[in-house]
Amino acid sequence: MKEPPDVVLACRNIYVTYGEVVALDDVSINFRGGMIHAVVGQNGAGKTTFARTVAGLVRPATGSLEINGRPIPGGNVNDARSAGVELVHQSFALPPSFTVAEAMQFGADGGRLYTRAALERRWQAHLDALDVKVRAGAQIRSLTVEQQQAVEIARALVTDASLLILDEPTAVLSPEGADKLFERIRRLKERGVTIILILHKIREVLAVSDTVSVLRGGQLIDGPLPAADIDAETLASLIIGPSGRAIAEEDRNSLTGATPPTTDGAATTAVTSAPMLSLTNVTTLSDGDGPPLDSVDLTVHAGEIVGVAGVEGNGQRTLVRAISALADVASGTLEIDGHDMADSSLLSRRALGLRVIPFERNVEGLSLTSPLWENWSVGRLLSKPLHAAIRPDGLRRDCRAAFDDWDVRYSNVEQRAGSLSGGNAQKVILSREMDDAARLIVAAQPTRGLDIGATAFVWDALRDARQRGCGVVFVSSDLDEIFDVADRVVVMFAGRVVAEFCAPFDLATVGSAMTGAQA
Amino acid sequence: MSANFSAIIRATVFIVIALVLCGIIFEIAGYPGIQTFDAIIDGAFLRRNALEHALRWALPLFITATGVVISFRAGYFNIGAQGQFYVGAICAAFVAEWLKGYPGAVVVPLCFVAGTAGGALWALWPGLLRLRSGADEVITTLMGNFLAGLLLVYVTAGPLKDPSGSGQQASSRPLEAAYRISTSNGVSPTIIGIAIFVGLAMWFLVNRTAFGVLSGLGGRNPTMVQWQGASVWRIGLASFLISGALAGLAGTIELMGPNGRLAGGFLPAHGFTAVLIALVAGLSITGTAIAAFFFGGLASAALYLPVIAGLPSAAIDIINAAIALFITAKSRFVDRLANIWRRPWTTS
């Protein structure tokens, strides 16, 4: 085993822009070899850009990179690879129809011919050496998320990488899975691999890393600091920064994942009201868009927020689609405000007050190339017959008023929705979906990709809706925010609701339900 | 306003680039480029009665092109305007034949109803196939064009054949004079009135109805309107039917106006020119009116060139093809030029 050099990665004055947006602003940092380095920050702080720049996927406008003392020309993956840098992406890039061995071979040198058996033998040995308990002959699509990630890491290590970068590796994992991942990372460190972890939860940073560096607004705020010398509170302030918006202590903790989440003491009043939404024994057919629902029971009362937790891809999407009449209910009953709506259209459900904040803001939520006012008016227009005459001026006026209420930053309602930032785009959707007639709000990953200010804004909006007596279904894969915002939590696993918890929530119990342990 | 302006800049730049390319082709083919353009401009817009001649082609093209705009905006690439145009003309011709002898005040409106319905019918089946089973409407409407062309050949050589016809091309019996809505010069108050009515109605439909805004949103992002509860069926079917009906209406006008009879394979490029007009116009109704006039001028120049200037009328086909090429190819250069006017709108 070779002794890792003092400084494995040296970045000097790295400056990266996307159009007019400055993603990294004069970042200079050195990472020492043989350690686990965490890079933390809010969404949009430049973490992923940093990882991509080091891996050669993004060419910096100015600045230089040195790996193991050798200068690397920026913006070339092959140069970075041959210098020993490997990046494991946030979303995996393994071809689902390949076997593990094929995917790994594909990442190694491609070209040469092998028999299937030779290929699988070769990679099984590699997987075993890394203690990845996966059959080399298994198809990628048959693996769990955790196994896929382990294979990704194993693949990244095929080329004898000396610097491994993992971009938000815990985002797709259950708490238990994250612990296993950290165990794996520590073993890699023992083998002399230097690891950079892009993270956004302080708890995880403090649990696993040797040093921590904080990015905010593209700038390096501090770091690398020895993780042993820093406490959660200080780190949280570094990440959040001097915020213009007062954020409640409780929210502050959940935003940064500083401490294990506790329950929001607020509104756990005894629920006596009639259910706004009630799913009984709902089963859907497989339609190629996530696992189908399997005998799902779910009740949401007026004035409560029900969190739907679970590792992504366990049927949350199908649940939201079933409530929104976008997936057919094969059996079971679905009632909204006491009306049987299992076979009725989304429009008639919307007439009863159902509002949906969809998963994919830019695809399902907005038409990016259409003007803002059209995006905002679509619900109102759909409640009229198609041939109904409309007054665009009136709609534009109402739209401006609603945007002002919701603090949307825009210059003109004629501008394209795609020109807004993520937080503002989400506010456009909130201003459309959380109108006065809303009674049942389904919010699917409403804070994904938003910075801290926008995230807190969305949480407050959901709490306001609860205050007004709406029932809220809050789908998220982030337990911290679920525990903070929700009054009650259900956990989904493989298309089923496997557990239900009332406050106070316990991270370990809910976390183990997410892995199907209680099923 | 600014968005419209940048669309106009864009279309103009495309056309200028296309014309320069055509000039080069003309030079290579041995026709002096400048003189050829001079003759085209003269034939299209400057000579005596040129406006009238341009209108004769522009009015039916405008009506068909507004239909194309309606379906393209909604995200359905109905390129079957040619076939819908033929079927409309055929249906109108049958009604005129069956009701021969009745007064024009009865027959003419019925012909219009039949022609419009025929065009809509020829757009209905590709629409149903698309919405029910996802069959690509580009393929089905394109095939529909050939079917309609063959139907036209059959009709003019069979049921509606003019026995006295001695030409090489079979055609139907001429309409009675009472059923004609214009002389063969093709411009009459009736036709102008219909075109204005269609233009206003479609402008209103696009800009002042729920259908207009929703179909525009759905054309750009169908997923988003579905998540809002829109019925893809109703918007989609309405788009197909309106677009076919307008092409059928244009076919009826050609039959009962300038042509006065059906001929096998008449106006073979009408539907495609209409698609081109809609694209050049950036799918706006106002833009379509301007573009239709421009292409109407070119169409009338095509007849003028060989007779007066001794140039091949194919010159116009080359110009149309070149414009089509540039308007469909995404040009970064032109996009950037057009963006200069759009920039003040994009803030983050």
Side-chain angles (χ1 to χ4, degrees), chain A residues 237-250:
Chain A
S237 332
L238 286 176
I239 292 172
I240 295 179
S243 171
R245 189 187 161 81
I247 296 171
E249 183 65 22
E250 197 88 53

Side-chain angles (χ1 to χ4, degrees), chain A residues 4-12 14 24 27-35 37 39 49-56 64-72 80 83-86 162-165 194-198 213 224:
Chain A
D6 259 8
V7 173
V8 164
L9 170 68
C11 306
R12 264 183 275 289
I14 300 282
L24 285 180
V27 171
S28 299
I29 192 166
N30 292 334
F31 287 121
R32 295 170 64 84
M35 298 173 98
H37 303 281
V39 175
T49 305
F50 176 73
R52 293 172 62 86
T53 307
V54 175
S64 64
L65 281 172
E66 271 180 28
I67 291 163
N68 294 325
R70 272 197 301 139
I72 298 293
V85 181
E86 284 288 342
S162 59
L163 176 60
L164 181 66
I165 309 172
T194 311
I195 291 141
I196 297 180
L197 286 173
I198 311 288
S213 311

Side-chain angles (χ1 to χ4, degrees), chain A residues 15-87:
Chain A
Y15 194 85
V16 175
T17 56
Y18 297 122
E20 285 161 27
V21 181
V22 179
L24 285 180
D25 185 0
D26 198 25
V27 171
S28 299
I29 192 166
N30 292 334
F31 287 121
R32 295 170 64 84
M35 298 173 98
I36 300 174
H37 303 281
V39 175
V40 294
Q42 313 179 20
N43 281 315
K47 293 170 299 188
T48 296
T49 305
F50 176 73
R52 293 172 62 86
T53 307
V54 175
L57 290 162
V58 172
R59 181 190 295 279
T62 61
S64 64
L65 281 172
E66 271 180 28
I67 291 163
N68 294 325
R70 272 197 301 139
I72 298 293
N76 187 321
V77 186
N78 291 332
D79 286 344
R81 271 234 164 112
S82 57
V85 181
E86 284 288 342
L87 171 65

Side-chain angles (χ1 to χ4, degrees), chain A residues 493 498 511-519:
Chain A
F493 180 76
V498 291
S512 84
M514 284 168 69
T515 62
Q518 291 191 343

Side-chain angles (χ1 to χ4, degrees), chain A residues 320-321 326 346-347 350 356 358 363-367 369-370 374-375 378-379 381-382 385-390 392 411-412 414-416 419 432-433, chain B residues 73 204-205 207-214 216-218 220-231 234-235 238 342-348:
Chain A
V320 172
R321 286 169 54 237
L326 295 166
L346 176 52
L347 269 190
R350 286 183 67 92
V356 183
V363 181
E364 295 152 1
L366 295 171
S367 168
T369 50
S370 303
E374 291 189 4
N375 273 293
V378 55
L381 296 175
L382 282 168
L386 278 182
H387 59 266
I390 57 161
S411 60
N412 191 300
E414 291 285 356
Q415 85 189 75
R416 293 163 180 231
S419 62
R432 177 180 74 202
E433 300 299 326
Chain B
R73 276 186 88 252
F204 189 85
L205 182 72
N207 296 297
R208 291 286 183 275
T209 63
F211 170 83
V213 176
L214 290 173
L217 278 166
R220 285 173 166 167
N221 185 347
T223 314
M224 179 261 194
V225 291
Q226 266 169 289
W227 275 81
Q228 289 288 310
S231 150
R234 293 176 53 202
I235 295 177
R342 200 180 298 144
R343 193 153 285 162
W345 300 83
T346 54
T347 53
S348 60

Side-chain angles (χ1 to χ4, degrees), chain B:
Chain B
M1 203 54 214
S2 172
N4 287 342
F5 192 54
S6 86
I8 291 171
I9 297 284
R10 212 178 128 88
T12 312
V13 171
F14 274 126
I15 289 172
V16 168
I17 296 175
L19 290 180
V20 169
L21 180 79
C22 291
I24 295 169
I25 293 174
F26 294 156
E27 288 283 348
I28 292 171
Y31 297 96
I34 304 290
Q35 265 170 276
T36 310
F37 280 123
D38 192 49
I40 289 172
I41 293 168
D42 188 44
F45 303 110
L46 298 181
R47 82 198 140 105
R48 209 162 59 82
N49 294 340
L51 289 187
E52 195 183 328
H53 286 105
L55 272 185
R56 176 260 172 270
W57 299 103
L59 294 173
L61 279 174
F62 170 68
I63 292 171
T64 305
T66 49
V68 175
V69 168
I70 299 293
S71 69
F72 275 34
R73 276 186 88 252
Y76 299 106
F77 294 98
N78 168 21
I79 53 169
Q82 184 67 32
Q84 291 140 19
F85 170 84
Y86 278 162
V87 172
I90 292 169
C91 291
F94 266 105
V95 170
E97 177 72 16
W98 288 333
L99 300 181
K100 198 182 256 179
Y102 288 93
V106 176
V107 178
V108 172
L110 286 177
C111 286
F112 272 101
V113 171
T116 312
L121 191 72
W122 207 244
L124 175 67
W125 63 267
L128 288 175
L129 283 174
R130 164 67 199 257
L131 295 165
R132 263 200 92 85
S133 52
D136 192 331
E137 75 279 6
V138 174
I139 308 291
T140 51
T141 55
L142 189 67
M143 310 256 272
N145 289 339
F146 295 111
L147 292 177
L150 291 173
L151 186 65
L152 182 68
V153 169
Y154 164 72
V155 167
T156 51
L160 294 180
K161 185 175 164 58
D162 179 5
S164 68
S166 57
Q168 293 150 323
Q169 202 172 37
S171 64
S172 69
R173 279 181 291 276
L175 289 188
E176 286 182 22
Y179 302 160
R180 295 283 294 272
I181 57 172
S182 81
T183 61
S184 59
N185 78 357
V187 182
S188 74
T190 317
I191 297 181
I192 294 177
I194 293 173
I196 290 176
F197 173 77
V198 166
L200 291 177
M202 290 305 123
W203 184 89
F204 189 85
L205 182 72
V206 166
N207 296 297
R208 291 286 183 275
T209 63
F211 170 83
V213 176
L214 290 173
S215 68
L217 278 166
R220 285 173 166 167
N221 185 347
T223 314
M224 179 261 194
V225 291
Q226 266 169 289
W227 275 81
Q228 289 288 310
S231 150
V232 176
W233 263 95
R234 293 176 53 202
I235 295 177
L237 212 52
S239 308
F240 272 103
L241 290 178
I242 293 171
S243 134
L246 290 176
L249 175 62
T252 312
I253 289 174
E254 283 288 355
L255 168 76
M256 309 185 68
N259 283 279
R261 56 160 65 182
L262 287 181
F266 81 128
L267 301 183
H270 177 90
F272 298 104
T273 311
V275 170
L276 189 53
I277 290 170
L279 290 176
V280 169
L283 305 186
S284 100
I285 299 292
T286 337
T288 302
I290 301 167
F293 187 69
F294 175 77
F295 283 91
L298 288 185
S300 85
L303 297 178
Y304 162 89
L305 285 184
V307 183
I308 311 294
L311 294 163
S313 62
I316 302 299
D317 292 338
I318 295 176
I319 292 179
N320 281 355
I323 294 174
L325 193 66
F326 278 93
I327 218 84
T328 43
K330 280 219 185 305
S331 155
R332 272 198 128 159
F333 170 70
V334 177
D335 277 342
R336 198 172 304 156
L337 265 180
N339 264 330
I340 293 173
W341 280 271
R342 200 180 298 144
R343 193 153 285 162
W345 300 83
T346 54
T347 53
S348 60

Side-chain angles (χ1 to χ4, degrees), chain A residues 153-478:
Chain A
I153 294 172
R155 183 171 82 156
L157 292 171
V158 164
T159 48
D160 206 20
S162 59
L163 176 60
L164 181 66
I165 309 172
L166 297 144
D167 188 6
E168 301 264 4
T170 56
V172 290
L173 300 179
S174 65
E176 216 164 286
D179 286 342
K180 278 190 215 144
L181 172 73
F182 294 155
E183 203 44 54
R184 191 179 297 287
I185 287 172
R186 283 191 204 99
R187 279 202 300 277
L188 289 175
K189 173 184 154 186
E190 281 157 22
R191 293 160 48 115
V193 180
T194 311
I195 291 141
I196 297 180
L197 286 173
I198 311 288
L199 291 173
H200 78 267
K201 289 201 178 163
I202 291 175
R203 197 166 62 245
E204 294 172 348
V205 172
L206 297 179
V208 71
S209 65
D210 298 315
T211 80
V212 53
S213 311
V214 181
L215 288 172
R216 193 197 319 137
Q219 290 173 328
L220 181 68
I221 299 302
D222 211 341
L225 305 163
D229 298 351
I230 195 163
D231 61 74
E233 187 49 38
T234 326
L235 200 46
S237 332
L238 286 176
I239 292 172
I240 295 179
S243 171
R245 189 187 161 81
I247 296 171
E249 183 65 22
E250 197 88 53
D251 286 355
R252 211 175 139 86
N253 276 337
S254 348
L255 280 164
T256 55
T259 49
T262 50
T263 242
D264 174 21
T268 353
T269 46
V271 181
T272 49
S273 53
M276 269 312 299
L277 171 72
S278 132
L279 274 68
T280 320
N281 215 8
V282 167
T283 297
T284 65
L285 300 175
S286 175
D287 56 4
D289 195 359
L293 298 184
D294 178 7
S295 319
V296 165
D297 293 319
L298 177 70
T299 307
V300 180
H301 295 88
E304 74 167 344
I305 300 178
V306 175
V308 178
V311 174
E312 251 173 73
N314 274 293
Q316 297 96 321
R317 195 180 154 76
T318 317
L319 175 69
V320 172
R321 286 169 54 237
I323 298 173
S324 314
L326 295 166
D328 291 335
V329 174
S331 68
T333 62
L334 188 158
E335 290 183 359
I336 295 176
D337 199 16
H339 303 270
D340 177 11
M341 300 305 271
D343 296 321
S344 50
S345 69
L346 176 52
L347 269 190
S348 46
R349 296 184 196 187
R350 286 183 67 92
L352 288 177
L354 172 68
R355 297 291 183 272
V356 183
I357 299 164
F359 289 92
E360 304 287 339
R361 187 159 50 238
N362 296 336
V363 181
E364 295 152 1
L366 295 171
S367 168
L368 295 185
T369 50
S370 303
L372 283 177
W373 73 269
E374 291 189 4
N375 273 293
W376 181 81
S377 322
V378 55
R380 294 174 156 222
L381 296 175
L382 282 168
S383 63
K384 302 176 181 195
L386 278 182
H387 59 266
I390 57 161
R391 294 183 33 249
D393 282 339
L395 287 171
R396 282 190 278 258
R397 200 168 41 242
D398 293 350
C399 173
R400 277 189 282 266
F403 283 2
D404 289 346
D405 279 353
W406 284 87
D407 195 27
V408 180
R409 307 285 161 82
Y410 68 104
S411 60
N412 191 300
V413 286
E414 291 285 356
Q415 85 189 75
R416 293 163 180 231
S419 62
L420 295 184
S421 68
N424 271 312
Q426 190 68 300
K427 283 182 189 173
V428 169
I429 295 177
L430 294 179
S431 74
R432 177 180 74 202
E433 300 299 326
M434 299 175 80
D435 58 347
D436 291 336
R439 300 189 61 209
L440 172 64
I441 295 166
V442 179
Q445 300 277 16
T447 62
R448 177 184 286 169
L450 301 186
D451 64 26
I452 282 182
T455 300
F457 186 96
V458 171
W459 291 350
D460 286 343
L462 294 177
R463 291 180 183 129
D464 285 348
R466 169 179 65 192
Q467 220 56 47
R468 286 189 292 135
C470 295
V472 179
V473 180
F474 178 42
V475 179
S476 172
S477 47
D478 183 338

